[in-house]
Amino acid sequence: MDVLKLSSSPLHFTTKLSKSQRPKQCMQILLFPSSSFSLINRPNRGFKLCATTFSTEEIGNPLEAVEAESERFDWYAQWYPIMPICDLDKRVPHGKRVMGIDVVVWWDKNESGWKVFDDLCPHRLAPLSEGRIDQWGRLQCVYHGWCFNGSGDCKFIPQAPPDGPPVHTSKRACVSVYPSVVQNDILWFWPNSDPQYKDIMAKKTPPYIPEIDDPSYAKLIISRDLPYGYEILTENLMDPAHVPYAHYGLIRRQQTKNKKADEEGGQPIDIVVRDLDVHGFISNQGLGHGKFVAPCVTYTSLNLPSKERNAKHQDNGTPSLDENNTVAPKTSQRKTMVVFMCIPISPGKSRVIFIPLRNFAVWVNRIIPRWMFHLGQNLVMDSDSYLLHVEERKILDAGLANWQKACFLPTKSDAKVVAFRRWLNKYSDGHVDWRGKFSGILPPSPPKEQLMERYWSHVVNCSSCKVAYKGLNALEVVLQVISIASLGIFAATKQSLVSGAARVLMVAMAILCFASSRWLSHFIYKSFHFHDYNHAIR
């Protein structure tokens, strides 16, 4: 939890406006063009915003009307993260969905690399993710035994006569292969299997964050599927103001000298957003900075107060940035970084890969198991999952083009949220381009226990939590066996053969083991299945 607390500190931002950029009165500004959608049972109010709320030094007003013609963002000409490689088992194929595309990920031992295929066999369209890797290292469909090599070529059809025509060499027997690469310990893929993209890495690479590969930084990686869409996930991770409220008591915040207006410690946050274009945008924030690299990567880097008296800073108190907009290394400076990779799965579903980093107290990660950190990180994600799930549906009811009317964002703390919605609207009509794969209707809301469940959304996909889950369940059984055995020995042993102290010890052991097994059962359920979060109870 220490890593989580450190990496989730509040983000402090600064904004400056020139006198010419400060109108004397508020103005009504539209983010999206008009739409046939209308708000249901709500007054049709405009988005009133004081011009001093957001900086317009670099990108202009974030809520200004979007140009009719602008560069389009191609969602299918980007690299997408699939999973951390530490959570991929080389012995079995893995089925994943990204951008509405079902893929199978498997380890090709012949080429010593991860492969990403279409998750369907060309024979009868059975899912290859339910298959196996045979003794020759080929991906085998378990429906009829067809086998494929790392290039997607069919190498064996059991039903084809050995002396007959080589039907397995037909192009129709091949599986579509997506370009893939491992970078920053994450498996990425290019969502277009056309052969012209086979060497796409030579032209375009995934976003690279050097701190993830830097051994001087301690890192933890967690991934989880979430019951709300990419748009809601991304803007939530760009919103530092919700932390003291939605995650109250879960994330330690830096104390400030400012007088607190409430128990949670919320305060104004000044944010400057600049360089917004089709590729994303940059934000500056006091002692750190952030960046959104469209469509998946958003990160925030902070310089923390150094314990050394002679730590060097720039005159303005901000860290120096290199040409790649990363913090220049300083041996005396403590740094923390939070990296989020937001992955579109389908409407109403997304996946996050969360990587907190720090260059101090690295030894903590060597002592505390990874799964114990995941307990706290999952609790943080659960604490606002239901809020965001409901929020997404209310926004859809209002109509995506009416976002600026449905949501009132009058403070500077929302600058990155507004900038993201402006980017989304300007370059992609306000939503992910699913290319007609979905009807646009969100899936029905399940009960809260299913909405916030952890086992299928995280545990089965996490190598650390999966081992811990099996081990703790085995320990629960052992405790129950010891409890029953102690009572059995107590009942079968004659009083004259065993001292009174020994009999008392057996009974005490039985009670203690039984109580421990019940507590452990409750702990397993709350940690690996479902943990509700009541915001009204402190």
Side-chain angles (χ1 to χ4, degrees):
M1 284 297 294
D2 287 340
V3 172
L4 181 65
K5 293 173 181 176
L6 287 169
S7 62
S8 303
S9 302
L11 312 180
H12 302 283
F13 306 84
T14 57
T15 301
K16 294 182 180 180
L17 291 174
S18 63
K19 292 183 179 180
S20 62
Q21 293 171 318
R22 299 174 184 170
K24 296 181 180 180
Q25 60 184 4
C26 297
M27 63 179 68
Q28 185 172 351
I29 309 170
L30 297 180
L31 175 62
F32 297 111
S34 59
S35 169
S36 58
F37 293 97
S38 61
L39 295 177
I40 301 176
N41 298 326
R42 295 192 61 181
N44 187 11
R45 53 180 172 83
F47 194 118
K48 292 184 179 180
L49 175 70
C50 290
T52 55
T53 298
F54 299 98
S55 170
T56 59
E57 292 177 300
E58 299 287 344
I59 64 171
N61 196 311
L63 294 180
E64 67 187 355
V66 176
E67 298 89 340
E69 296 183 3
S70 61
E71 184 178 357
R72 303 296 299 169
F73 184 78
D74 188 349
W75 291 85
Y76 295 86
Q78 314 294 331
W79 286 97
Y80 287 88
I82 298 180
M83 282 289 290
I85 58 173
C86 62
D87 291 328
L88 292 174
D89 189 343
K90 294 181 178 180
R91 301 170 298 175
V92 298
H94 306 267
K96 299 295 176 184
R97 173 177 283 191
V98 179
M99 285 295 296
I101 303 171
D102 292 316
V103 299
V104 56
V105 176
W106 64 286
W107 176 257
D108 181 7
K109 67 179 183 181
N110 296 312
E111 297 185 19
S112 297
W114 290 102
K115 303 295 182 179
V116 181
F117 287 6
D118 252 342
D119 192 14
L120 55 85
C121 178
H123 178 212
R124 299 267 293 279
L125 309 187
L128 292 172
S129 57
E130 293 297 319
R132 66 172 69 92
I133 300 173
D134 68 10
Q135 62 268 40
W136 292 283
R138 303 173 302 192
L139 179 61
Q140 183 185 64
C141 176
V142 294
Y143 194 20
H144 293 91
W146 288 32
C147 296
F148 307 90
N149 66 7
S151 300
D153 300 326
C154 183
K155 306 304 292 184
F156 179 58
I157 298 179
Q159 296 78 24
D163 55 350
V167 293
H168 68 278
T169 61
S170 170
K171 291 184 178 180
R172 296 191 62 187
C174 297
V175 180
S176 296
V177 181
Y178 294 98
S180 60
V181 65
V182 174
Q183 181 174 281
N184 283 147
D185 293 331
I186 305 291
L187 177 65
W188 300 73
F189 94 112
W190 185 268
N192 195 321
S193 60
D194 192 294
Q196 66 175 309
Y197 298 106
K198 182 179 180 181
D199 299 319
I200 189 62
M201 270 293 292
K203 299 179 181 178
K204 185 174 182 177
T205 60
Y208 179 68
I209 300 175
E211 288 84 353
I212 296 179
D213 292 336
D214 189 340
S216 66
Y217 279 80
K219 69 178 178 183
L220 285 167
I221 302 180
I222 180 174
S223 67
R224 183 168 175 179
D225 291 359
L226 299 168
Y228 45 86
Y230 159 86
E231 298 91 339
I232 298 297
L233 169 63
T234 304
E235 70 176 24
N236 180 61
L237 298 176
M238 293 181 178
D239 172 24
H242 82 282
V243 172
Y245 300 95
H247 308 308
Y248 178 79
L250 300 176
I251 298 178
R252 184 174 60 203
R253 293 175 56 82
Q254 292 178 340
Q255 298 298 323
T256 63
K257 296 181 180 180
N258 298 334
K259 183 178 179 180
K260 295 181 179 179
D262 52 33
E263 180 182 356
E264 295 81 4
Q267 56 190 321
I269 304 175
D270 294 335
I271 300 176
V272 171
V273 175
R274 60 185 178 87
D275 299 344
L276 189 151
D277 58 22
V278 70
H279 305 294
F281 54 81
I282 296 171
S283 62
N284 292 336
Q285 49 197 52
L287 295 178
H289 70 284
K291 190 171 185 179
F292 167 56
V293 184
C296 295
V297 178
T298 178
Y299 67 81
T300 300
S301 180
L302 294 173
N303 282 4
L304 301 180
S306 177
K307 292 184 177 180
E308 298 185 19
R309 294 183 178 179
N310 297 324
K312 296 181 180 180
H313 297 275
Q314 295 189 66
D315 293 337
N316 61 2
T318 60
S320 59
L321 306 179
D322 62 18
E323 62 181 2
N324 295 321
N325 199 50
T326 58
V327 181
K330 290 183 182 179
T331 56
S332 61
Q333 183 67 59
R334 297 193 308 158
K335 301 172 186 176
T336 181
M337 190 171 184
V338 197
V339 180
F340 296 103
M341 297 181 182
C342 307
I343 307 166
I345 296 180
S346 60
K349 293 183 180 180
S350 60
R351 181 178 303 118
V352 64
I353 298 177
F354 171 35
I355 311 174
L357 302 156
R358 70 183 188 283
N359 67 350
F360 55 92
V362 178
W363 57 271
V364 174
N365 290 40
R366 303 190 185 106
I367 297 176
I368 302 178
R370 179 179 173 228
W371 68 269
M372 294 188 69
F373 287 105
H374 286 187
L375 298 184
Q377 292 165 337
N378 273 316
L379 186 58
V380 170
M381 284 187 270
D382 282 336
S383 59
D384 60 9
S385 281
Y386 184 73
L387 302 176
L388 298 172
H389 177 82
V390 174
E391 174 187 318
E392 180 174 37
R393 279 151 174 74
K394 291 185 179 298
I395 290 177
L396 188 63
D397 288 343
L400 293 178
N402 288 323
W403 180 85
Q404 87 287 356
K405 296 180 181 179
C407 303
F408 179 51
L409 289 80
T411 68
K412 301 175 184 179
S413 64
D414 294 313
K416 288 198 288 185
V417 174
V418 174
F420 171 68
R421 285 289 179 176
R422 178 174 183 258
W423 174 87
L424 195 63
N425 186 70
K426 183 175 182 179
Y427 299 109
S428 188
D429 296 329
H431 56 81
V432 176
D433 179 12
W434 301 108
R435 289 191 175 176
K437 289 191 286 287
F438 303 99
S439 62
I441 300 175
L442 295 176
S445 293
K448 206 172 184 180
E449 289 77 6
Q450 296 180 26
L451 191 68
M452 297 168 57
E453 66 83 27
R454 297 182 182 179
Y455 184 78
W456 293 107
S457 63
H458 170 70
V459 175
V460 295
N461 298 312
C462 175
S463 58
S464 301
C465 290
K466 188 159 49 177
V467 171
Y469 179 76
K470 292 179 180 179
L472 292 174
N473 274 290
L475 179 58
E476 180 188 355
V477 174
V478 169
L479 290 173
Q480 292 174 351
V481 170
I482 294 175
S483 177
I484 295 173
S486 299
L487 289 177
I489 295 173
F490 172 80
T493 304
K494 294 183 179 180
Q495 187 172 358
S496 59
L497 298 178
V498 181
S499 65
R503 292 172 64 84
V504 171
L505 181 61
M506 284 188 288
V507 174
M509 181 179 294
I511 296 174
L512 180 61
C513 288
F514 177 77
S516 298
S517 70
R518 300 313 304 153
W519 176 88
L520 187 58
S521 176
H522 179 69
F523 174 80
I524 292 172
Y525 180 75
K526 292 189 69 174
S527 300
F528 300 101
H529 288 280
F530 170 70
H531 187 133
D532 198 2
Y533 191 89
N534 191 332
H535 291 267
I537 299 177
R538 301 293 174 85

